[in-house]
């Protein structure tokens, strides 16, 4: 066997003792593996979750792997702007700085259009607007980090397969499960690029990058469209999806490596995008990712930011 890749999730460097990291969606999949990677390196963890029972089960796993970890669960429903604001206030009660923010939680392709508590299409509302608002609320804590808080937006290979439909952002006139997912993932990528630009332009003490996991074997398929289909069809889709991800993709632990790379690697740069280096960026060690053409237009990123501010009320 060859030498271990330096960005495997069980690596010990860099040393994060004294740093505070927040990971959304850490109850399973990529988020759990990212949390484990940060815990192994010594970070104090803040883990906002929607389901406290599942959150406690994940916390047990993290503590079993890293007995010395200091970790706190917080309630967060990204489908509610009130919950997002309440969670940010709780974070402020826990710490006076935030060194790392991984915006990882997400919803993938429910078969029927659903809405958040605030009337947004569920995927756009959770995957993009919820994280946009959370980052905005946490900006003072991010700027208080001595080296500047690092924000990682988790995008997807799906980000390159759609555009931002400014005339129908909430998919009210036409809903496609995967089309709405693709738009939300492109929005994640555009948000990271625009945050990096605005931070540099305005002198914010923040670093912003984006990453995608390739084809990582997580529960997002079974919790998305497969969960909303009738039982036989949902089960078939779940099994097929799991097989495809295992054969052509990689584990959740390996899928987490580009996210850790974007947050921690000394070679990671603000406004850049990271993912697996294998064929089609589906699997492999982390490194620079291909930037989709739809994400390269600065005017699109700026327009999306301005609209997101108006929709969330968070500046």
């Amino acid at each position: 066997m060859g030498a271990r890749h330096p960005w495997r999730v069980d690596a010990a460097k860099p040393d994060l003792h004294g740093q505070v990291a927040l990971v959304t969606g850490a109850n399973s999949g990529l988020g759990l593996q990212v949390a484990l990677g940060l815990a192994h390196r010594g970070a104090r963890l803040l883990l906002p979750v929607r389901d406290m029972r599942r959150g406690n089960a994940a916390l047990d796993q993290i503590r079993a792997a890293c007995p010395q970890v200091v970790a706190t669960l917080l309630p967060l429903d990204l489908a509610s702007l009130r919950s997002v604001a309440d969670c940010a206030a709780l974070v402020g009660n826990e710490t006076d700085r935030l060194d790392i923010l991984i915006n990882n939680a997400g919803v993938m392709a429910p078969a029927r259009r659903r809405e958040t508590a605030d009337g947004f299409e569920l995927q756009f509302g959770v995957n993009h607007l919820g994280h946009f608002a959370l980052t905005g609320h946490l900006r003072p804590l991010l700027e208080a980090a001595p080296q500047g808080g690092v924000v990682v937006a988790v995008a997807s290979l799906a980000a390159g397969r759609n555009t931002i439909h400014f005339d129908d952002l909430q998919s009210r006139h036409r809903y496609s499960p995967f089309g709405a997912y693709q738009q939300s993932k492109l929005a994640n990528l555009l948000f990271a690029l625009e945050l990096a630009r605005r931070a540099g332009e305005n002198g914010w003490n923040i670093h912003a990058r984006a990453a995608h996991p390739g084809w990582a074997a997580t529960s997002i398929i079974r919790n998305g469209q497969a969960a909303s289909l009738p039982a036989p069809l949902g089960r078939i889709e779940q099994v097929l999806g799991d097989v495809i991800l295992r054969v052509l993709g990689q584990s959740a632990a390996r899928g987490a490596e580009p996210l850790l790379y974007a947050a921690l690697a000394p070679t990671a740069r603000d406004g850049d995008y990271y993912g697996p280096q294998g064929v089609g960026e589906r699997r492999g060690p982390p490194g620079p990712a291909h930037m989709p053409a739809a994400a390269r237009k600065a005017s699109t990123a700026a327009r999306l930011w301005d609209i997101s501010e108006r929709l969330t009320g968070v500046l």
Side-chain angles (χ1 to χ4, degrees), residues 172-290:
R172 291 191 175 96
H173 302 295
R174 179 180 176 184
Y175 177 72
S176 160
F178 283 98
Y181 177 71
Q182 291 161 355
Q183 175 181 249
S184 73
K185 290 288 101 179
L186 175 57
N188 292 152
L189 180 51
L190 289 165
F191 167 63
L193 302 182
E194 184 65 6
L195 177 58
R197 187 191 71 78
R198 294 191 181 220
E201 188 175 85
N202 296 304
W204 300 343
N205 191 32
I206 289 177
H207 308 281
R209 298 134 193 189
H212 76 82
W215 285 9
T218 72
S219 61
I220 194 168
I221 291 178
R222 72 176 66 100
N223 292 336
Q225 178 156 304
S228 59
L229 290 172
L233 290 176
R235 179 60 181 163
I236 290 170
E237 178 159 327
Q238 175 187 326
V239 171
L240 287 175
D242 288 346
V243 169
I244 290 170
L245 290 175
R246 283 200 304 270
V247 174
L248 298 179
Q250 58 188 359
S251 67
R254 293 304 300 268
E257 291 183 0
L259 283 59
L260 289 166
Y261 186 99
L264 306 177
T267 50
R269 297 289 179 264
D270 295 348
D272 281 353
Y273 189 30
Y274 299 96
Q277 298 299 285
V279 176
E281 297 185 6
R282 292 188 295 268
R283 60 191 299 170
H290 169 72

Side-chain angles (χ1 to χ4, degrees), residues 58-282:
L59 190 53
D60 288 343
Q61 285 186 252
I62 295 170
R63 286 174 172 158
C66 307
Q68 304 304 315
V69 70
V70 177
T72 304
L73 290 181
L74 300 170
L76 171 63
D77 182 358
L78 285 162
S80 163
L81 292 177
R82 178 182 293 276
S83 177
V84 170
D86 289 346
C87 179
L90 291 175
V91 173
N93 292 335
E94 291 285 337
T95 181
D96 60 0
R97 59 186 269 190
L98 186 59
D99 300 275
I100 300 166
L101 170 60
I102 311 290
N103 287 328
N104 162 75
V107 180
M108 181 179 176
R112 292 174 295 279
R113 183 184 180 276
R114 296 165 56 192
E115 289 189 349
T116 69
D118 305 286
F120 307 130
E121 187 276 317
L122 185 67
Q123 297 179 86
F124 189 75
V126 169
N127 300 354
H128 171 59
L129 292 175
H131 282 123
F132 179 93
L134 181 65
T135 305
H137 285 303
L138 295 176
R139 199 182 103 192
L141 296 178
L142 289 162
E143 290 202 78
Q147 304 302 317
V150 178
V151 179
V152 177
V154 180
S156 164
L157 285 170
R161 300 183 178 277
N162 207 335
T163 187
I164 302 296
H165 298 283
F166 288 108
D167 59 341
D168 189 23
L169 280 176
Q170 311 305 334
S171 304
R172 291 191 175 96
H173 302 295
R174 179 180 176 184
Y175 177 72
S176 160
F178 283 98
Y181 177 71
Q182 291 161 355
Q183 175 181 249
S184 73
K185 290 288 101 179
L186 175 57
N188 292 152
L189 180 51
L190 289 165
F191 167 63
L193 302 182
E194 184 65 6
L195 177 58
R197 187 191 71 78
R198 294 191 181 220
E201 188 175 85
N202 296 304
W204 300 343
N205 191 32
I206 289 177
H207 308 281
R209 298 134 193 189
H212 76 82
W215 285 9
T218 72
S219 61
I220 194 168
I221 291 178
R222 72 176 66 100
N223 292 336
Q225 178 156 304
S228 59
L229 290 172
L233 290 176
R235 179 60 181 163
I236 290 170
E237 178 159 327
Q238 175 187 326
V239 171
L240 287 175
D242 288 346
V243 169
I244 290 170
L245 290 175
R246 283 200 304 270
V247 174
L248 298 179
Q250 58 188 359
S251 67
R254 293 304 300 268
E257 291 183 0
L259 283 59
L260 289 166
Y261 186 99
L264 306 177
T267 50
R269 297 289 179 264
D270 295 348
D272 281 353
Y273 189 30
Y274 299 96
Q277 298 299 285
V279 176
E281 297 185 6
R282 292 188 295 268

Side-chain angles (χ1 to χ4, degrees), residues 9-11 16 32-42 260 264:
V9 295
D10 59 351
L16 299 179
L32 176 57
Q33 295 300 325
V34 169
L36 282 166
L38 296 169
H40 278 298
R41 293 170 168 93
L260 289 166
L264 306 177

